[in-house]
Every structure is written in structure tokens, then in C-alpha cells.
Amino acid sequence: MATIRTPDQSTRLAALSVILLFLTAALHGQTARVVGQIDDNRRIGLQGHVPSKAKPEHDQGPVSPSLGLNPVTLHMKPSVQQQQGLDQLLAEQQDPSSQNYRRWLTPDEFGDRFGLSRGDMAKITAWGESQGLKMVREARGRNWIDFSGTAEQVGRAFRTEIHRYEVDGEAHFANATNPSIPAALAGIVSGVDRKSVV
């Protein structure tokens, strides 16, 4: 036999469902932060991303456009609320009187609480792939994505040039200028790096 609900009960149930949905999202830190489409024409620079030894006097010119760069890592940062929650958890994990004392998170638990939403990760991955890069892997904690591509593709994606440098008799390569990212990723992407640069 079907249950008959009064309009007041139905309204309360709908309101309760909405509240539970928002509480679940807040609990897991999964508020969408990439709003709308990523417009590649609106850019911001990432300051401080030219290695200190990548100086004009060491510059040997651009690398071959076909040079493979793997991986190039895009690092994400938590929201202000997520960072506050993470700071609190870290303090509690060191406090013997806390119920979270030495209660460590798995990478997936970390991602659910302090990483980007799966939707945001998918949007950033789609943007990288639209630039010709290939997504290699993403962190289970959803705080970085590894891409691969040629020097030409990486340079185009981040609006920089990859140059060769000779420092103390050793050959290196690095970006010659600060990279840039779409403005939609401001406050989300904290940096981009390649581990074998200068």
C-alpha cells in the first residue's frame, strides 16, 4: 500500500534532502571551485616559476620542439576552508586527548576531504588535453595531475618557452619565463613543474 504524504510532509522531506546534500558536500570538501567553462584566452601568470639558475648568461636557446616532457605536474591547493580543516586535523592527530590522535587518512579519504572535486579534476584534465597534453595520472588525494607532452605543447599550454641551459658545465632545460594558466584556475592551481629542470 502506498504511503500518502501531506504537502507539509513532502515539503519537509524535500528541504531535509537538500540540507543533507549540502552537509555531505561540506563534510567532504567537495564544493565545485572551477565555475563554468575554462576560457583559455583569459590568463594569469604564475610568479616565481623560473628556476633561479635559468639566467640569460646560461641560456643556450630553445630546446627542440619535439623534446618529450614527462611528467609535467599541475599542483592544486585546498580552499581556505579545506586548509583550515586540514590544519585542525593535523593538530588533532598529534593530540593524545583527541579522538583523531594518530588516526591517519588514506589518500582517497584525504581527497574526499581536502582535494578538488572529481568534477573539477575532470575539467582541468579536459583543459590540459585540449592543449594537446596527455593526462598520465592524477593523485588519489586529488591535489595534482601529471601530464606529458612535447616542449612545444607544454610551451603552448602554459604560454612559455622551454630553453636549454648550461650551468657549471652541466646541461639542463627549464622554462625561460613564468608560465600562465587560465584565470578560471586562479586560487586552485598553485604551480606547475617538471622535476628534472634546473
Side-chain angles (χ1 to χ4, degrees):
M1 181 177 216
T3 303
I4 299 173
R5 294 190 176 95
T6 67
D8 281 347
Q9 288 175 319
S10 296
T11 303
R12 276 188 236 129
L13 282 172
L16 181 60
S17 297
V18 170
I19 290 169
L20 287 174
L21 181 66
F22 281 111
L23 285 176
T24 301
L27 177 65
H28 291 110
Q30 296 305 301
T31 302
R33 295 171 61 197
V34 180
V35 181
Q37 297 291 343
I38 298 175
D39 181 355
D40 199 52
N41 294 314
R42 294 185 60 233
R43 290 270 176 154
I44 61 160
L46 292 173
Q47 300 306 309
H49 277 66
V50 177
S52 61
K53 294 182 180 178
K55 296 179 179 176
E57 59 266 30
H58 301 146
D59 197 336
Q60 305 295 302
V63 299
S64 166
S66 62
L67 175 69
L69 302 177
N70 181 23
V72 173
T73 304
L74 219 57
H75 298 276
M76 320 303 173
K77 65 180 177 181
S79 68
V80 171
Q81 294 82 3
Q82 286 175 317
Q83 187 62 57
Q84 290 169 347
L86 179 56
D87 292 342
Q88 180 178 343
L89 176 63
L90 292 172
E92 290 172 355
Q93 287 175 330
Q94 306 301 319
D95 180 359
S97 67
S98 170
Q99 65 180 4
N100 286 320
Y101 181 58
R102 293 189 177 174
R103 187 174 175 190
W104 315 120
L105 301 181
T106 67
D108 295 309
E109 289 171 333
F110 181 93
D112 287 341
R113 292 180 64 179
F114 307 115
L116 289 183
S117 70
R118 294 185 191 283
D120 284 348
M121 292 291 279
K123 285 182 180 181
I124 294 170
T125 297
W127 168 77
E129 291 175 342
S130 77
Q131 303 300 301
L133 303 177
K134 179 181 177 185
M135 196 274 278
V136 177
R137 63 182 177 152
E138 66 177 45
R140 287 170 57 194
R142 297 200 295 278
N143 54 1
W144 54 260
I145 301 174
D146 275 349
F147 289 100
S148 66
T150 64
E152 181 178 27
Q153 290 166 328
V154 170
R156 186 171 56 243
F158 298 105
R159 308 281 166 86
T160 187
E161 284 190 358
I162 312 300
H163 282 211
R164 293 175 291 113
Y165 293 89
E166 187 171 323
V167 181
D168 298 328
E170 293 184 356
H172 301 272
F173 58 90
N175 48 297
T177 59
N178 281 314
S180 71
I181 56 171
L185 304 182
I188 298 170
V189 171
S190 60
V192 56
D193 68 30
R194 166 94 173 88
K195 294 177 177 58
S196 67
V197 298
V198 173

